[in-house]
Amino acid sequence: MKSDFSEEAAPARLLEEIHSPADVKALREQDLPQLAQEVRDELIKVLSQTGGHLGPNLGVVELTIALHRVFNTPRDRFVMDVSHQGYVHKMLTGRLERFPTMRQYGGLNGFLLRTESEHDCYGAGHAGTALSAGLGMAVGRDLKGDNEHIVVVAGDAAFTNGISYEALNNVKANTKRFIVVLNDNEWSIAKNVGAIASYLNSIATSPTFTHLHEKARQFVQAIAGKTAVEFAHKVEESVKGLIVPSVIFEELGLRYYGPIDGHDIPLLIRTFEFLKTQEEPVLLHILTKKGKGYEPAIKQPDKFHGLGKYKLETGETAPTPTPTYSEIIGKTLAKFAQTNQKIVAITAAMPSGTGLAHFAKAHPTRYFDVGIAEEHAALFACGLATQGLKPFLTIYSTFMQRAYDMTIHDIAIQKLNVALCMDRAGLSGDDGPTHHGLFDIGYLRHIPNWLHMQPKNEDEFVDMLWTMANYNSGPIAIRYPRGSGPGAQIKSEPKLLEIGKAEVVQHGRDVAIFGLGNMFEVAEDAARKLEEKGISVALINPRWIKPLDTGTLEFFARGVEVVCTIDPDEFTEHGTIPILRKKHGITADVLVEKVLPLLKRKSPAHSTAA
Ligand SMILES: Cc1ncc(C[n+]2csc(CCOP(=O)(O)OP(=O)(O)O)c2C)c(N)n1
């Protein structure tokens, strides 16, 4: 008879016992669904406090458990595309205790990091890198005569990315042992787009698949309790049956298996056990649900792809009090496009992140989501420009790094009327070094024919967009930060700005501070602090990165003792923007601290020297 206590006692969480992948292997297989549930609960609870990539991770819980059940990291290697779906992997590889520090300054990074754990064999944050990097690992392994497994996990949207095909083009010729998992949830951040998405969907919805899936289930039931030899034979026989011929992947030289249910742990385990015995590159197509297990995330996959804090019970998030720069650009371009028929807008898989969803609603035929394909997006914009259209290419500063060659070879040399709008310029916050938009000033400034600017506030932003819309003499770019600026208005009557002309906000004799974009606020603050010490400060809003207003620069350089600009020159970790600014000295106090000794040395007015 059971004691009263055994009925009452809540079962201990299995998750608490998981300190390494060996602990996942030590569990009974029938307990793995419970582990999956606990992982989900933990994800939903912790991320409600920290924010993060909830939807993608809820979709890969079973997959990650099955991978750790079958393979042995760190010896075997999991290469995850973007690696935003690596949270479950982190939990199962000894980082559960630190999980509540996710994306916090000094805590776990939201992506895989080689420096964070020996189980993270490859860091990422940008999409499309996993297949190439994984192939390099496989070839390196072969050259060394080793035999560990390389498993690439890539989402369906990673297959909208050109690099993925560059890698696939090289797999067959270079290795015989390579496992690719295509995690197909039909979503990028927004709904996945293009011919490949339709192709994958046609496989997933084919009646043959439904039939095969039933076959697969029966097979998993049938092998329970078999001896090792019988088991291996059965697995081979049955998993080979899990093939709907997929012309694309087979022609590229990867044996295609699937599609199978990516939430069926026993099936995943059996399939991986089989795939690891194969002496040819294989691709396993699994079907998963983004946001699985959390109703708000299933209802709004786009929002829950990655978000800040939310209410655990409802999934509600705090409303942003003022419009963000992204919202302003989406709405403003939509408005300009009502009277300017030449305006078209392009996003590379970021319709809501870039605010273009507003434009898409107003002008669906002049809006293009090209998938995670920044290089293509830039070239596509070039083609549109040659037809006399005015393409607004709206891409995060960090992702535009991908299309650097196009900014020179295609846009600048041909002096095409492409308007490049770079969102998340500067520090982007809790995503960390892969996502900060710190390099676009560097990578555009030296290229002839480009104009480049940054607004100090929302009103100036609208003026700049208007200036871009009316500029027809070649490429023109704008950068603007994540979130909202200091003002709350969206200007209704924009004005044209004079090209290459800085705004002198106040004159001064001792120090001139040039505060570009959102650094203008820091500059203003520093100016007040210096003025309190009796120092006369000129305050300049440069507006233009290129052409630089050299006249204004020279004027002040000749007139004052110290000229300041505000900029970091190092890779910056993740954390909130105020914390990062403080750490890296991007504050008014640090500016004042650095300026004062210079003045003492140079200025008779402030010097103590005779
Ligand atoms: C080069 C680049 N462009 C855009 C992004 C933004 N981004 C992050 S995840 C993602 C969608 C990924 O979808 P998928 O690969 O299918 O994985 P899922 O989140 O659906 O699991 C996008 C567009 C990025 N990380 N890198």
Side-chain angles (χ1 to χ4, degrees), residues 322-339:
T322 52
T324 60
Y325 278 104
S326 315
E327 281 164 348
I328 294 174
I329 192 171
K331 289 182 179 161
T332 305
L333 291 182
K335 197 168 147 206
F336 292 172
Q338 283 168 3
T339 47

Side-chain angles (χ1 to χ4, degrees), residues 513 521-531 537 587-588 591-592:
I513 311 178
E521 282 179 81
V522 179
E524 255 182 332
D525 201 10
R528 297 291 89 85
K529 289 182 185 217
L530 287 166
E531 281 164 359
V537 183
T587 63
L591 192 145
V592 170

Side-chain angles (χ1 to χ4, degrees), residues 221-375:
Q221 278 162 7
I223 56 170
K226 291 275 186 292
T227 65
V229 177
E230 284 172 330
F231 168 81
H233 181 68
K234 267 273 185 206
V235 169
E236 170 132 16
E237 200 178 87
S238 307
V239 177
K240 275 193 169 160
L242 297 182
I243 304 174
V244 184
S246 162
V247 179
I248 292 184
F249 298 113
E250 293 272 329
E251 289 293 325
L252 284 166
L254 284 93
R255 179 72 65 216
Y256 172 91
Y257 293 93
I260 67 167
D261 179 354
H263 298 299
D264 186 331
I265 297 177
L267 180 58
L268 287 168
I269 291 174
R270 301 294 166 265
T271 308
F272 285 130
E273 274 167 354
F274 165 72
L275 293 179
K276 76 190 246 193
T277 66
Q278 294 306 287
E279 289 294 324
E280 63 182 347
V282 295
L283 182 141
L284 175 66
H285 183 184
I286 67 167
L287 303 180
T288 58
K289 189 152 203 65
K290 208 160 179 168
K292 185 175 169 68
Y294 189 53
E295 218 34 47
I298 290 177
K299 283 200 180 122
Q300 290 175 279
D302 191 334
K303 173 175 169 184
F304 281 87
H305 171 88
L307 76 172
K309 288 182 183 189
Y310 53 88
K311 262 196 198 150
L312 194 58
E313 305 75 32
T314 58
E316 273 170 277
T317 44
T320 39
T322 52
T324 60
Y325 278 104
S326 315
E327 281 164 348
I328 294 174
I329 192 171
K331 289 182 179 161
T332 305
L333 291 182
K335 197 168 147 206
F336 292 172
Q338 283 168 3
T339 47
N340 183 345
Q341 300 302 320
K342 291 185 173 174
I343 291 180
V344 290
I346 305 164
T347 176
M350 311 292 289
S352 42
T354 59
L356 281 199
H358 297 288
F359 186 97
K361 231 188 205 166
H363 307 285
T365 57
R366 289 150 70 189
Y367 158 81
F368 304 92
D369 177 354
V370 298
I372 313 178
E374 288 77 10
E375 293 142 287

Side-chain angles (χ1 to χ4, degrees), residues 45-223:
K45 190 181 84 193
V46 171
L47 269 55
S48 72
Q49 294 305 308
T50 63
H53 291 99
L54 182 63
N57 282 286
L58 288 175
V60 297
V61 174
E62 288 81 7
L63 169 67
T64 313
I65 291 174
L67 285 172
H68 278 296
R69 184 83 178 182
V70 175
F71 297 97
N72 295 306
T73 61
R75 190 169 180 278
D76 294 331
R77 290 153 175 247
F78 300 160
V79 190
M80 300 195 176
D81 203 80
V82 187
S83 84
H84 62 310
Q85 72 287 62
Y87 295 19
V88 185
H89 164 78
K90 293 194 184 209
M91 274 191 211
L92 303 182
T93 51
R95 284 170 274 184
L96 178 67
E97 257 176 41
R98 294 184 67 206
F99 199 63
T101 69
M102 179 57 89
R103 290 160 62 86
Q104 314 298 301
Y105 178 70
L108 293 179
N109 189 274
F111 300 90
L112 300 192
L113 276 188
R114 281 168 60 83
T115 48
E116 195 178 282
S117 163
E118 59 176 353
H119 297 277
D120 295 3
C121 67
Y122 199 76
H126 290 197
T129 63
L131 282 150
S132 296
L135 180 58
M137 284 178 202
V139 171
R141 169 204 60 202
D142 298 346
L143 286 173
K144 290 193 296 179
D146 289 339
N147 65 356
E148 74 269 17
H149 295 284
I150 312 293
V151 184
V152 169
V153 176
D156 48 308
F159 288 83
T160 61
N161 200 299
I163 325 173
S164 295
Y165 296 91
E166 294 170 29
L168 287 174
N169 190 39
N170 282 284
V171 170
K172 193 179 177 183
N174 287 297
T175 188
K176 286 191 165 23
R177 291 178 59 246
F178 190 51
I179 300 173
V180 178
V181 181
L182 161 50
N183 172 32
D184 182 0
N185 55 26
E186 296 179 35
W187 286 79
S188 180
I189 294 179
K191 190 85 178 162
N192 201 9
V193 294
I196 293 293
S198 312
Y199 173 67
L200 294 176
N201 184 258
S202 74
I203 300 179
T205 54
S206 86
T208 326
F209 161 62
T210 323
H211 166 71
L212 281 177
H213 185 64
E214 190 41 42
K215 243 177 97 180
R217 269 191 199 292
Q218 287 167 4
F219 144 69
V220 170
Q221 278 162 7
I223 56 170

Side-chain angles (χ1 to χ4, degrees), residues 416-546:
L416 292 171
N417 281 328
V418 171
L420 173 60
C421 306
M422 287 182 284
D423 205 323
R424 301 329 191 247
L427 293 171
S428 79
D430 33 27
D431 278 331
T434 54
H435 281 63
H436 296 311
L438 295 173
F439 301 106
D440 62 273
I441 294 179
Y443 67 67
L444 271 193
R445 237 194 75 72
H446 57 261
I447 308 172
N449 291 343
W450 273 100
L451 307 188
H452 193 11
M453 57 190 152
Q454 182 171 359
K456 73 171 193 282
N457 61 25
E458 289 89 334
D459 276 0
E460 195 167 84
F461 185 44
V462 177
D463 289 341
M464 287 185 174
L465 292 174
W466 183 244
T467 306
M468 292 173 92
N470 288 285
Y471 178 76
N472 292 312
S473 305
I476 184 162
I478 188 168
R479 70 193 305 266
Y480 43 97
R482 178 183 184 176
S484 36
Q489 298 297 317
I490 302 184
K491 197 171 185 174
S492 55
E493 291 298 327
K495 66 169 199 283
L496 282 180
L497 295 176
E498 188 182 337
I499 288 172
K501 191 80 200 135
E503 179 195 21
V504 178
V505 177
Q506 72 177 44
H507 279 274
R509 291 181 316 277
D510 302 325
V511 179
I513 311 178
F514 287 73
L516 180 71
N518 53 345
M519 289 299 111
F520 186 76
E521 282 179 81
V522 179
E524 255 182 332
D525 201 10
R528 297 291 89 85
K529 289 182 185 217
L530 287 166
E531 281 164 359
E532 278 165 21
K533 295 182 189 300
I535 296 159
S536 167
V537 183
L539 198 51
I540 300 106
N541 163 25
R543 281 186 180 150
W544 296 87
I545 297 153
K546 193 173 184 185

